[in-house]
Amino acid sequence: MEKRLNGKRLSKASRSGFINYGIVIAAFVILQLLMALGLLSNSLQSLLVPTCCYIVMAVSLNLTVGILGELSLGHAGFMSLGAFSGIVASFLLADAIPFAPLRLALSMIVGAVFGALGGVVVGVPVLRLQGDYLAIVTLAFGQIIKNIIMVLYVGVDEKGFHIAASSERFNLAEDGVAIIKGPMGAVGVAKLASFTAGFVLILITLAVVQNLVNSRSGRAIMALRDNRIAAESVGINTTKYKLMAFVTSAALAGAAGALFGLNYSSTVASKFDFNASILVLVFVVLGGLGSIRGSIIAAALLYVLPELLRQFGDIADYRMLVYAIVLILVMLVTNNDSLKALLGRIIPKRKGAASHG
């Protein structure tokens, strides 16, 4: 009987995962058709890659905030690590790998590796903290990374690779090329990112996060979220599973950062400030803590909403005000017990349905 129930539970979790894949694939096909028919404006087309990046950011942060239950306010720091390491990798691989998609893929892998390394550096000491202390330390990490990148100079010349912490110490030969120029950020970047690459990255992110959540490790992570003391009492290694979720989340953010950085001809560290971390956290909260599908939908709609409002004449001047009002209304609706009960009667929730759809 127990095996049959476990099989049933797994099948429902798998069904929820396939629905998430279906939503992403359907959206990709529809948008490709709209672009082919010329029904998507250039301004909206320019938002496709960043939207994919923020969907990945939201899903990955939900792994930390919703699945693990730890508040992180420095997720943009991992994104910036991935962005600038990916840009440097892309430049260094330009001659060896002229094929752009392959170079983009390798740059995203490099970004994921640097994001994961950042997750390890922050996670090992920080995950011993809880609550507000963890949030404060991750916030400080995001600011530290941004400030370091703003004074970082990276370049290459006939003598090899150069890196310095100030312009005075950054000396390149005449044929040298600067990749990162301190406060100016990365300039002259080859734009390799594409909507297809963003679509693939979202699918990879869903595969990683959903398989982790539905695995034995995922159940251990959620047990820590629900009751840490009880989980430790049955032998669950707190540090191991917290670090697993945190590093996975950071690696995915790094890959998204590499894609984001290679979507523009220039990128500055200020793009990955505290506001960027809060924006991603807003997507996670409004989509529902622990809800992967909610993170996808919230990130896609809320990131594009200001640009959509820009299309409506007089409203364009007040688009950020309308955006803020929409956020407040969504929060009121999602925290109203009467409305929740009404929606529950209209759309009855099946007994035993997976909570992390």
Side-chain angles (χ1 to χ4, degrees):
M1 178 70 176
E2 185 177 352
K3 289 183 179 179
R4 187 168 59 193
L5 288 175
N6 285 336
K8 188 176 181 181
R9 189 183 302 122
L10 286 173
S11 66
K12 287 183 177 179
S14 299
R15 192 180 308 124
S16 177
F18 283 124
I19 290 174
N20 293 339
Y21 290 126
I23 291 173
V24 173
I25 293 171
F28 177 74
V29 171
I30 291 171
L31 288 171
Q32 290 284 17
L33 288 174
L34 290 176
M35 285 191 289
L37 296 173
L39 299 177
L40 210 60
S41 66
N42 290 332
S43 60
L44 289 178
Q45 288 186 39
S46 67
L47 292 177
L48 293 179
V49 172
T51 300
C52 291
C53 295
Y54 276 100
I55 288 174
V56 173
M57 290 288 290
V59 173
S60 63
L61 183 60
N62 210 343
L63 180 59
T64 298
V65 178
I67 307 301
L68 177 60
E70 300 288 358
L71 179 58
S72 173
L73 297 179
H75 211 52
F78 303 119
M79 188 181 189
S80 65
L81 282 175
F84 288 96
S85 61
I87 288 171
V88 172
S90 172
F91 184 87
L92 296 178
L93 292 171
D95 293 333
I97 306 176
F99 185 55
L102 178 58
R103 193 159 84 250
L104 173 62
L106 292 175
S107 301
M108 289 166 63
I109 292 173
V110 170
V113 169
F114 273 82
L117 289 175
V120 172
V121 170
V122 177
V124 170
V126 168
L127 289 176
R128 301 178 187 276
L129 304 174
Q130 295 178 14
D132 296 339
Y133 299 105
L134 176 64
I136 292 169
V137 174
T138 53
L139 169 61
F141 164 75
Q143 294 300 105
I144 289 170
I145 292 298
K146 185 191 78 170
N147 290 330
I148 288 175
I149 294 175
M150 288 186 70
V151 299
L152 193 66
Y153 290 81
V154 178
V156 63
D157 61 14
E158 59 185 9
K159 296 180 181 179
F161 188 72
H162 297 266
I163 183 169
S166 66
S167 58
E168 291 80 9
R169 299 179 181 177
F170 187 61
N171 298 313
L172 292 177
E174 292 184 0
D175 63 337
V177 178
I179 307 172
I180 300 177
K181 298 181 179 180
M184 294 177 61
V187 295
V189 179
K191 298 169 66 174
L192 304 179
S194 65
F195 181 39
T196 302
F199 164 70
V200 172
L201 181 59
I202 292 174
L203 293 183
I204 292 173
T205 301
L206 289 177
V208 170
V209 173
Q210 290 178 162
N211 282 310
L212 176 59
V213 170
N214 295 327
S215 68
R216 183 177 180 180
S217 298
R219 291 191 289 273
I221 290 168
M222 288 184 283
L224 289 171
R225 175 197 64 190
D226 296 335
N227 194 318
R228 182 180 60 84
I229 296 175
E232 288 178 339
S233 69
V234 297
I236 293 178
N237 188 325
T238 304
T239 304
K240 172 186 173 182
Y241 289 109
K242 278 189 173 183
L243 195 60
M244 180 185 297
F246 195 73
V247 171
T248 302
S249 175
L252 293 171
L259 181 67
F260 186 87
L262 291 170
N263 187 54
Y264 302 98
S265 58
S266 63
T267 301
V268 293
S270 58
K271 286 186 178 180
F272 310 100
D273 59 4
F274 173 67
N275 292 327
S277 293
I278 294 300
L279 179 64
V280 179
L281 184 61
V282 167
F283 297 155
V284 172
V285 173
L286 293 184
L289 295 178
S291 173
I292 296 172
R293 190 176 309 142
S295 294
I296 296 171
I297 296 172
L301 292 181
L302 294 177
Y303 185 77
V304 177
L305 180 60
E307 182 60 34
L308 290 177
L309 293 174
R310 194 192 295 271
Q311 311 295 323
F312 296 96
D314 296 335
I315 301 179
D317 297 331
Y318 305 98
R319 66 185 186 283
M320 297 311 295
L321 175 62
V322 175
Y323 181 73
I325 293 173
V326 169
L327 294 182
I328 294 172
L329 291 176
V330 172
M331 289 299 295
L332 291 175
V333 169
T334 54
N335 289 280
N336 189 302
D337 293 333
S338 300
L339 287 174
K340 282 184 178 179
L342 177 62
L343 291 174
R345 288 193 294 269
I346 297 174
I347 310 174
K349 187 176 181 181
R350 291 174 296 177
K351 188 176 180 181
S355 61
H356 50 77

